[in-house]
């Protein structure tokens, strides 16, 4: 059991980060904290891809002219793209949070929910009102 | 012609390069015209591609001349040819409509940037569809998603709830895309390849492993989030309700369609023979969730008073029909799914555009504000009614064609109860469309309000889609033959 834990420790870190990240996204009500959770979640995927590409005892994939054992460069390239995507998502998410703060003066999810539900209730009342007029 | 052989990639690269150019065109009419040209170009490309594919079989394009498993391959066959046609076609119809619609709903200084986001969204959706490289799919998925969040948030001028809708969409969309990329990583781990056909080949030669099963689960759940399969649909109603009208019409007709296509592509072409999970997943998860979605979406739609939200919930139900066809795992079932991809794009596009016309004049899509509108905006409401009939599935409209094939697919497997459920959920659509008809035609107009018909630049695109609803409902030869070729291409590998 201990061997399994130690042998594949990198995968355990990936799984732990993945779950922590998702848990933060779901459980936190603060919009910025949710984005932090999303970042942790995405970071676990970066680590996962880098783990995939690693060859034991391999060096950096640089051409030296001699046959050498090196790590697979492809997952690194792929995950570089995913990192850029992650940065773009975070930036866009934070920009939205700023706009939400400007418009609602809060970034707590439950307070936002209350404000939105109040508007929806108002719309609902209008329907009943117009039906009452018809009668 | 040299360009013709490069069309599979030009289709995507053209809009991609056009996006930065559009962002510096600070005159809004110029930006709009440029976007329209780009979109029409993509549409002509996809018409040519689909025609070639139907005559000569799939086209494979190797980017930079690198051979397929190593280099990135773009591959167009009947199943993605039709999706390319839907995306670029709807985009080209929505754009003439979008000009007046954006002018009324979005501050002027944002226009050229909004069109940039629109082109990027188009690029992403076309890229998802055209590529045969699994990681490329993820990149384009994010290109289209990120620009979609921006487009949805642009509705904030009318209603600040657009911001929270865009934020929630961002969180769920990113979780979905990240699940998808985890699945791709696991697939790469198992096969060492990213090319879809190559992955499928290699999966066929290795024994079924847990890695592949987990990859399948991650890919399916990630895509289910993106295509808004019930109960992962929670981002959709708010996003569609609060986005600007033209954006809603474009997204409702294209974004979830591209994700449904991906689900078909990954289930059949990539995992089809290599994973034993497909059949049990379709039977125990796909069909039940599709049926639940059909009913939950329709019932929720009945209780909505904001008509955009009503149609958004109806989309959740319609996605149920598409996933149901997929869940039957037969040629007829996938054919019904492909047909409904096309037909639903036509009807939802027409309906949301009709609502956009209403919003233009009434500044509201609240059912109480639509009293008597049928007499004041006869053309707009007539378009809505025909679109609504199509949604219900009345003969002579496209909705009937896709439901007909869906029911035949269910009958093929002697699933009588499914036929009953399909018909019953269609009847629910009658209720929510009738509520609008009642308000628009049978109630007295709101006193003291003078409303005129929507401008022609918005009515004509709406009626183009309405006409398409009727045309393809009467003459379904084209759609049925493409859908059959697509279904045989996808499911054929299984048998």
């Amino acid at each position: 059991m201990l061997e399994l834990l130690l042998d594949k420790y990198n995968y355990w870190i990936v799984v732990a980060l993945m779950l922590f990240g998702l848990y933060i996204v779901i459980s936190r009500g603060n919009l910025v904290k949710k984005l932090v959770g999303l970042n942790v979640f995405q970071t676990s995927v970066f680590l996962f891809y880098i783990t995939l590409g690693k060859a034991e005892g391999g060096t950096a994939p640089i051409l030296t002219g001699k046959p050498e054992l090196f790590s697979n460069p492809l997952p690194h390239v792929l995950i570089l793209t995913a990192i850029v995507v992650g940065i773009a998502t975070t930036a866009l998410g934070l920009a939205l949070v700023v706009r939400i703060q400007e418009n609602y003066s809060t970034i707590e999810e439950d307070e936002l929910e209350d404000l939105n539900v109040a508007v929806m209730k108002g719309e609902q009342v209008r329907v009943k009102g117009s039906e009452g007029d018809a009668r | 012609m040299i360009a013709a052989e490069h069309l599979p990639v030009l289709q995507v690269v053209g809009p991609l390069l056009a996006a930065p150019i559009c962002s510096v065109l600070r005159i809004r009419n110029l930006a709009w015209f440029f976007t329209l040209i780009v979109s029409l170009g993509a549409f002509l490309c996809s018409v040519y591609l689909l025609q070639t594919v139907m005559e000569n079989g799939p086209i494979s394009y190797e980017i930079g001349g690198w051979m397929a498993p190593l280099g990135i391959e773009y591959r167009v066959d009947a199943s993605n040819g039709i999706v390319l046609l839907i995306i670029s076609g709807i985009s080209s119809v929505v754009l003439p409509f979008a000009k007046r619609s954006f002018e009324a709903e979005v501050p002027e200084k944002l226009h050229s940037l909004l069109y940039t986001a629109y082109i990027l969204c188009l690029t992403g959706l076309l890229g998802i569809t055209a590529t045969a490289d699994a990681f490329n799919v993820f990149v384009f998925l994010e290109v289209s998603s990120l620009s979609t969040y921006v487009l949805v948030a642009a509705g904030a001028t009318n209603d600040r709830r657009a911001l929270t809708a865009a934020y929630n969409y961002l969180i769920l969309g990113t979780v979905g895309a990240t699940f998808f990329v985890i699945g791709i990583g696991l697939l790469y781990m198992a096969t060492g390849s990213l090319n879809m056909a190559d992955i499928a080949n290699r999966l066929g030669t290795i024994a079924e492993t847990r890695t592949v099963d987990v990859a399948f689960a991650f890919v399916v759940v990630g895509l289910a989030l993106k295509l808004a399969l019930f109960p992962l649909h929670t981002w959709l109603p708010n996003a569609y309700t609060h986005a600007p009208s033209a954006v809603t019409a474009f997204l409702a007709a294209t974004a979830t369609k591209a994700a449904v296509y991906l689900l078909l592509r990954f289930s059949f072409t990539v995992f089809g023979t290599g994973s034993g999970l497909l059949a049990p997943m379709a039977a125990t998860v796909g069909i039940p969730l599709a049926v639940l979605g059909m009913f939950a979406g329709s019932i929720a739609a009945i209780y909505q008073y904001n008509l955009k939200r009503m149609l958004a919930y109806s989309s959740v139900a319609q996605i149920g029909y598409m996933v149901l066809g997929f869940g039957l795992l037969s040629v007829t079932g996938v054919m019904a799914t492909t047909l409904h991809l096309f037909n639903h794009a036509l009807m939802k596009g027409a309906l949301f555009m009709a609502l956009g016309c209403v919003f233009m004049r009434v500044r509201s899509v609240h059912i109480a504000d639509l009293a008597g509108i049928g007499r004041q905006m006869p053309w707009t409401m007539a378009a809505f009614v025909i679109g609504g009939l199509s949604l219900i599935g009345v003969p002579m409209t496209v909705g009937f064609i896709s439901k007909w094939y869906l029911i035949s697919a269910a009958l093929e497997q002697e699933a009588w109860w499914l036929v009953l459920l399909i018909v019953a959920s269609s009847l629910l659509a009658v209720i929510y469309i009738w509520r609008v008809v009642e308000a628009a035609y049978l109630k007295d107009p709101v006193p003291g309000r003078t409303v005129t018909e929507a401008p022609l630049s918005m009515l004509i695109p709406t009626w183009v889609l309405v006409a398409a609803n009727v045309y393809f409902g009467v003459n379904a030869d084209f759609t049925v033959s493409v859908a059959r070729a697509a279904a045989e291409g996808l499911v054929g590998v299984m048998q």
Side-chain angles (χ1 to χ4, degrees):
Chain A
M1 184 64 203
L2 192 67
E3 218 167 280
L4 181 72
L5 281 177
L6 290 177
D7 230 25
K8 304 255 191 283
Y9 72 94
N10 37 4
Y11 288 102
W12 289 111
I13 294 174
V14 169
V15 171
L17 281 179
M18 203 179 278
L19 294 177
F20 284 146
L22 262 186
Y23 177 75
I24 295 169
V25 172
I26 296 163
S27 65
R28 294 293 109 175
N30 185 299
L31 299 191
V32 175
K33 287 183 182 168
K34 268 182 190 291
L35 282 177
V36 173
L38 205 60
N39 262 321
V40 173
F41 179 49
Q42 287 179 316
T43 307
S44 76
V45 184
F46 305 162
L47 284 180
F48 170 60
Y49 267 72
I50 291 164
T51 300
L52 284 186
K54 180 66 185 164
E56 214 156 309
T59 63
I62 299 169
L63 280 180
T64 52
K66 300 175 284 195
E68 261 184 290
L69 182 69
F70 56 79
S71 299
N72 183 354
L74 184 66
H76 292 75
V77 179
L78 296 182
I79 219 56
L80 191 60
T81 317
I83 289 170
V84 175
V85 168
I87 291 168
T89 313
T90 313
L92 181 56
L94 288 173
L96 280 173
V97 171
V98 170
R99 289 288 311 272
I100 290 174
Q101 165 72 27
E102 283 171 5
N103 275 280
Y104 287 83
S105 306
T106 175
I107 51 165
E108 291 297 327
E109 202 180 28
D110 41 358
E111 291 172 25
L112 291 169
E113 189 74 10
D114 290 345
L115 288 168
N116 285 342
V117 167
V119 180
M120 281 188 65
K121 287 232 170 90
E123 287 176 354
Q124 208 160 10
V125 168
R126 279 181 61 206
V127 175
K128 288 189 180 132
S130 75
E131 277 171 3
D133 295 343
R135 278 182 217 119
Chain B
M1 215 166 81
I2 305 170
E5 61 186 279
H6 293 294
L7 278 186
V9 73
L10 279 179
Q11 161 108 322
V12 180
V13 171
L16 186 65
L17 294 180
I21 299 174
C22 186
S23 71
V24 296
L25 299 176
R26 285 298 164 152
I27 307 160
R28 67 176 175 183
N29 288 348
L30 194 63
W32 167 76
F33 186 69
F34 183 71
T35 312
L36 184 64
I37 296 293
V38 169
S39 175
L40 283 174
F43 179 60
L44 291 180
C45 263
S46 61
V47 170
Y48 176 84
L49 282 174
L50 185 61
Q51 201 184 1
T52 317
V53 162
M54 291 304 290
E55 279 166 15
N56 307 331
I59 307 172
S60 168
Y61 182 86
E62 285 155 356
I63 289 186
W66 292 85
M67 292 279 280
L70 282 181
I72 292 171
E73 185 195 15
Y74 275 33
R75 194 178 173 80
V76 182
D77 58 18
S79 55
N80 55 9
I82 182 109
V83 182
L84 289 174
L85 187 77
I86 296 171
I87 293 167
S88 55
I90 293 285
S91 161
S92 304
V93 179
V94 167
L95 270 171
F97 172 91
K99 187 167 179 294
R100 288 296 296 273
S101 180
F102 280 163
E103 279 168 16
E105 295 178 33
V106 182
E108 191 180 336
K109 61 174 182 167
L110 295 179
H111 278 209
S112 62
L113 293 176
L114 200 58
Y115 287 121
T116 308
Y118 188 98
I119 297 186
L120 275 177
C121 188
L122 178 68
T123 309
L125 293 170
L126 291 172
I128 291 172
T129 317
T131 186
D133 184 276
F135 198 82
N136 230 255
V137 170
F138 165 71
V139 176
F140 279 115
L141 199 65
E142 283 295 15
V143 169
S144 75
S145 302
L146 286 168
S147 44
T148 306
Y149 310 145
V150 175
L151 289 171
V152 170
T157 329
N158 292 314
D159 191 336
R160 62 181 183 176
R161 281 177 290 173
L163 296 172
T164 45
Y167 181 87
N168 285 333
Y169 188 8
L170 180 133
I171 296 286
L172 286 175
T174 308
V175 169
T178 310
F179 273 166
F180 180 76
V181 82
I182 294 169
I184 301 295
L186 289 164
L187 264 183
Y188 182 72
M189 197 177 187
T191 62
S193 180
L194 288 169
N195 183 288
M196 289 182 189
D198 198 35
I199 294 176
N201 272 339
R202 296 188 189 201
L203 283 182
T205 58
I206 57 175
E208 273 173 30
T209 59
R210 195 169 291 167
T211 313
V212 178
D213 288 347
V214 175
F216 182 68
F218 269 115
V219 167
V220 168
V221 174
L223 289 178
L225 255 168
K226 282 286 179 190
L227 65 86
L229 176 66
F230 181 87
L232 305 175
H233 69 282
T234 47
W235 56 266
L236 185 144
N238 281 330
Y240 282 13
T241 310
H242 301 304
S245 306
V247 171
T248 310
F250 177 57
L251 291 182
T254 56
T256 48
K257 310 292 174 295
V260 171
Y261 156 76
L262 275 186
L263 180 68
L264 293 176
R265 175 63 81 194
F266 271 87
S267 298
F268 293 115
T269 309
V270 178
F271 287 100
T273 46
S275 168
L277 271 186
L278 176 58
M281 188 282 292
T284 58
V285 183
I287 293 182
L289 286 186
V291 171
L292 275 175
M294 275 152 51
F295 281 90
S298 300
I299 292 170
I302 292 173
Y303 289 99
Q304 301 307 318
Y305 28 87
N306 182 322
L307 295 185
K308 265 171 115 180
R309 192 183 296 273
M310 179 191 90
L311 289 184
Y313 273 111
S314 137
S315 277
V316 175
Q318 302 291 321
I319 287 158
Y321 293 122
M322 294 175 211
V323 176
L324 183 63
F326 153 76
L328 293 170
L329 295 181
S330 63
V331 172
T332 327
V334 174
M335 214 177 126
T337 303
T338 317
L339 274 172
H340 204 50
L341 281 182
F342 185 86
N343 296 343
H344 181 245
L346 294 181
M347 51 180 118
K348 265 297 152 49
L351 284 166
F352 272 120
M353 278 158 84
L355 280 188
C357 293
V358 171
F359 190 84
M360 174 84 187
R361 290 301 189 218
V362 187
R363 307 302 297 168
S364 160
V365 285
H366 194 284
I367 197 157
D369 294 325
L370 260 64
I373 199 83
R375 270 164 271 173
Q376 290 166 322
M377 301 177 74
W379 286 98
T380 304
M381 287 322 287
F384 190 93
V385 170
I386 298 175
L389 291 177
S390 189
L391 196 65
I392 295 163
V394 175
M396 309 286 281
T397 59
V398 286
F400 177 72
I401 307 284
S402 34
K403 280 191 186 143
W404 174 264
Y405 280 95
L406 194 56
I407 287 176
S408 354
L411 284 180
E412 232 174 43
Q413 304 187 356
E414 292 179 354
W416 286 98
W417 55 281
L418 270 182
V419 178
L420 287 178
L421 291 172
I422 293 166
V423 174
S425 67
S426 302
L427 292 178
L428 291 173
V430 177
I431 302 177
Y432 58 75
I433 294 297
W434 175 252
R435 283 175 66 230
V436 183
V437 173
E438 189 193 8
Y441 289 99
L442 302 181
K443 283 193 178 162
D444 292 327
V446 178
R449 188 184 63 190
T450 47
V451 174
T452 49
E453 188 53 86
L456 273 186
S457 68
M458 292 170 80
L459 264 186
I460 292 172
T462 312
W463 273 92
V464 167
L465 281 190
V466 170
N469 266 296
V470 178
Y471 176 78
F472 289 113
V474 177
N475 180 2
D477 291 348
F478 161 72
T479 43
V480 169
S481 64
V482 175
R484 176 162 291 135
E488 278 165 1
L490 285 168
V491 188
V493 288
M494 307 267 298
Q495 274 117 24

